[in-house]
């Protein structure tokens, strides 16, 4: 679709998955989809809601009151104070929350800063709002370079989107830089869309800090969360956002225009997810941490091919390609797909700074991760000879 000035395209992650779906026997470490099924504790609640006839009708546009109350209590437990009635919206996945926020808070021609690399769909969501994505390069450790960031602020800057933990790097941003950016947002009058969809998949808790904990920034921050990742619920399309009432009063209108309300059956699933026992959440996190350790040990054995930052969160690693002839990440990803039957995402999909890298997802089973790495080792052995 051409929106006048900028082409809106299918995200490259989905392009790779489309290509992969046509090749029999491919092992995909491309799209960020958890390998596991939604936990049965959630499915059982949903079956009961269905049988009781609770899912047939729209909910309030904001979402089921019971769910929003539960979200508000959960937020309180992690140091965030938001009124369930007027400051929380249940959304159809976090990407709908992000798009509704942009449509509400940003005008055509405004600039929205995104980190390079960052989640590929931000570019498309910004273009849907007829705004202009402006990339700011992260440094070698995938952290903010504040001087580089300041240079990207202009009179037309209306928002920055920060994924913390970040996709595709699996890393966490440092507290001090986040606070500096929030101060810049206040003084320069722009919003921060704080995407914390990987908040429950953090392997080094001490590193994590959320700007939404600080009340002085609540008027510039819209925080989004998703049930897709930690609860293996990508297919349910359910998440939420929260912000100061003044912003939510605007976002509710675009959310209504887009979806009327989040799918009600999925809202019951979200309610069950929030009520899941802590031990079960810990087990899920531990399972991802184990997969992280497997992928890291496989990468260590390929140190002549890749270097990487060890992921401390999410389920991605973003290795840098050391081979000079294979710096073109699309060329390498297509060769891996066609010759090794392994799907990964070209790093350049996440911004120019991502060129020379590939994104590998460890949301899949250990079995799949090992097969994919066996095949990649074979591929690189062949091209080296
Ligand atoms: C950083 C980030 N934000 C948002 C999303 C969208 O997730 P959903 O719309 O399923 O909540 C993703 C999905 O991969 C993501 O990685």
């Amino acid at each position: 679709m051409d929106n006048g000035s900028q082409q809106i395209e299918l995200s490259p992650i989905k392009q790779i998955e489309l290509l992969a779906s046509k090749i029999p026997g491919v092992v995909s470490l491309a799209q960020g989809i958890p390998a596991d099924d939604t936990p049965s504790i959630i499915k059982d609640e949903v079956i009961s809601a269905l049988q009781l006839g609770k899912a047939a009708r729209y909910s309030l546009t904001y979402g089921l009151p019971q769910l929003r109350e539960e979200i508000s209590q959960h937020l309180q437990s992690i140091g965030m104070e938001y009124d369930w009635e007027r400051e929380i919206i249940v959304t159809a996945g976090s990407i709908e929350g992000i798009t509704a926020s942009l449509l509400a808070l940003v005008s055509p021609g405004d600039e929205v800063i995104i980190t390079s690399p960052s989640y590929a769909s931000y570019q498309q969501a910004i273009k849907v709002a007829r705004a202009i994505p402006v990339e700011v390069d992260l440094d070698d450790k995938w952290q903010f370079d504040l001087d580089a960031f300041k240079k990207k602020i202009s009179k037309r800057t209306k928002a920055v989107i920060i994924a913390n933990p970040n996709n595709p790097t699996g890393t966490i941003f440092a507290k001090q830089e986040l606070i500096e950016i929030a101060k810049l947002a206040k003084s320069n009058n722009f919003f921060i869309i704080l995407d914390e969809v990987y908040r429950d998949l953090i392997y080094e808790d001490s590193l994590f800090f959320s700007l939404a904990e600080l009340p002085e920034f609540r008027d510039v921050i819209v925080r989004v969360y998703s049930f897709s990742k930690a609860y293996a619920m990508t297919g349910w399309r359910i998440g939420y956002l929260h912000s100061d009432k003044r912003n939510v009063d605007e976002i509710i209108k675009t959310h209504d225009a887009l979806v009327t309300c989040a799918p009600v059956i999925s809202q019951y699933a979200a309610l069950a997810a929030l009520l899941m026992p802590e031990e079960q959440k810990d087990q899920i996190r531990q399972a991802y941490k184990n997969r992280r350790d497997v992928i890291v040990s496989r990468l260590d054995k390929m140190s002549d091919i890749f270097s990487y930052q060890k992921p401390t969160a999410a389920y991605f690693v973003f290795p840098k390609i050391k081979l000079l002839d294979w710096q073109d990440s699309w060329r390498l990803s297509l060769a891996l797909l066609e010759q090794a039957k392994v799907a990964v995402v070209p790093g350049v999909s996440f911004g120019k700074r991502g060129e020379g890298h590939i994104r590998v997802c460890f949301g899949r089973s250990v079995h799949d991760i090992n097969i994919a790495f066996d095949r990649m080792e074979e591929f690189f052995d062949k091209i080296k000879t």
Side-chain angles (χ1 to χ4, degrees):
M1 178 183 147
D2 189 344
N3 73 356
S5 55
Q6 303 184 85
Q7 200 78 21
I8 298 176
E9 286 160 356
L10 184 65
S11 117
I13 304 170
K14 282 97 184 185
Q15 290 180 38
I16 283 282
E17 286 292 352
L18 260 179
L19 291 173
S21 70
K22 297 195 176 100
I23 304 178
V26 163
V27 176
S28 177
L29 304 184
Q31 199 170 356
I33 306 178
D36 308 310
D37 192 7
T38 305
S40 53
I41 196 167
I42 297 175
K43 293 200 291 188
D44 291 347
E45 282 299 320
V46 167
I47 291 166
S48 144
L50 263 182
Q51 283 170 342
L52 291 170
K54 290 177 169 178
R57 301 186 187 88
Y58 301 125
S59 69
L60 292 174
T61 301
Y62 286 90
L64 294 167
Q66 202 187 347
L67 173 58
R68 283 180 286 136
E69 281 182 70
E70 209 53 58
I71 292 170
S72 163
Q73 276 187 26
H74 164 71
L75 293 177
Q76 209 166 32
S77 76
I78 55 171
M80 302 175 192
E81 296 287 337
Y82 286 85
D83 172 17
W84 72 268
E85 275 192 280
R86 302 304 298 272
E87 296 190 320
I88 296 172
I89 303 176
V90 182
T91 57
S94 62
I95 194 64
E96 188 261 316
I98 292 166
T99 309
S101 302
L102 289 166
L103 286 167
L105 306 176
V106 165
S107 302
D110 284 344
E111 293 175 356
V112 179
I113 300 177
I114 48 176
T115 64
S116 183
S118 66
Y119 178 46
S121 293
Y122 293 155
Q123 295 261 358
Q124 318 309 328
I126 293 166
K127 290 177 191 172
V128 166
R130 305 287 194 266
I132 300 159
V134 174
E135 293 185 12
V136 61
D137 284 354
L138 296 179
D139 71 12
D140 288 349
K141 298 229 151 45
W142 303 130
Q143 293 293 322
F144 279 105
D145 169 344
L146 281 179
D147 289 332
F149 187 88
K150 283 178 196 157
K151 285 192 190 128
K152 298 290 175 172
I153 300 173
S154 80
K155 287 203 172 67
R156 296 166 79 189
T157 305
K158 205 53 187 289
V160 52
I161 309 181
I162 301 175
N164 192 33
N166 195 20
N167 170 6
T169 57
T171 48
I172 292 171
F173 289 111
K175 178 175 179 177
Q176 206 43 50
E177 275 82 37
L178 288 172
I179 291 178
E180 288 307 317
I181 290 171
K183 287 182 185 161
L184 287 168
K186 278 254 193 205
S187 55
N188 292 274
N189 237 344
F190 61 82
F191 292 99
I192 299 177
I193 297 179
L194 188 60
D195 178 345
E196 293 190 0
V197 305
Y198 296 104
R199 160 97 196 208
D200 293 318
L201 296 178
I202 292 176
Y203 314 119
E204 328 272 339
D205 278 335
S206 58
L207 297 177
F208 187 77
F209 162 77
S210 176
L211 274 175
E213 288 167 30
L214 301 182
E216 63 265 40
F217 298 125
R218 73 188 332 266
D219 54 334
V220 291
I221 287 173
V222 178
R223 177 176 177 269
V224 299
Y225 178 79
S226 173
F227 292 92
S228 290
K229 310 296 174 176
Y231 300 99
M233 283 172 55
T234 52
W236 297 83
R237 311 309 304 126
I238 192 82
Y240 60 81
L241 64 82
H242 53 96
S243 183
D244 189 77
K245 178 180 165 307
R246 259 199 348 210
N247 303 327
V248 170
D249 281 351
E250 295 306 312
I251 301 169
I252 193 68
K253 299 174 200 165
T254 47
H255 168 68
D256 181 29
L258 288 170
V259 293
T260 307
C261 65
V264 173
I265 192 65
S266 304
Q267 296 195 46
Y268 282 102
L271 191 55
L274 281 170
L275 297 173
M276 193 189 232
E278 281 307 315
E279 310 84 76
Q280 198 170 344
K281 294 184 192 172
D282 286 345
Q283 280 166 10
I284 295 173
R285 194 176 306 117
Q286 190 56 46
Y288 282 110
K289 192 176 181 191
N290 293 344
R291 291 173 197 174
R292 191 268 315 252
D293 294 342
V294 170
I295 212 157
V296 157
S297 73
R298 294 297 306 241
L299 279 168
D300 285 343
K301 289 195 193 120
M302 298 175 81
S303 57
D304 50 336
I305 314 284
F306 297 120
S307 62
Y308 68 95
Q309 282 280 319
K310 187 174 175 180
T312 49
Y315 45 42
F316 304 110
V317 60
F318 200 54
K320 185 173 163 60
I321 309 155
K322 285 184 169 174
L323 308 178
L324 292 179
D325 292 349
W326 289 91
Q327 289 302 303
D328 179 333
S329 59
W330 261 108
R331 180 169 160 254
L332 177 61
S333 302
L334 290 176
L336 283 171
L337 187 60
E338 282 154 16
Q339 295 169 41
K341 295 197 176 184
V342 175
V344 297
V345 185
V348 72
S349 319
F350 305 95
K352 291 185 198 78
R353 173 81 177 81
E355 187 52 305
H357 298 72
I358 54 171
R359 189 190 75 175
V360 188
C361 174
F362 54 89
R364 309 299 164 89
S365 66
V366 169
H367 178 256
D368 280 1
I369 293 169
N370 278 322
I371 294 184
F373 271 80
D374 291 347
R375 291 181 185 179
M376 284 204 280
E377 276 177 0
E378 221 175 288
F379 169 88
F380 285 111
D381 281 348
K382 264 193 216 148
I383 61 166
K384 277 193 293 185
T385 50

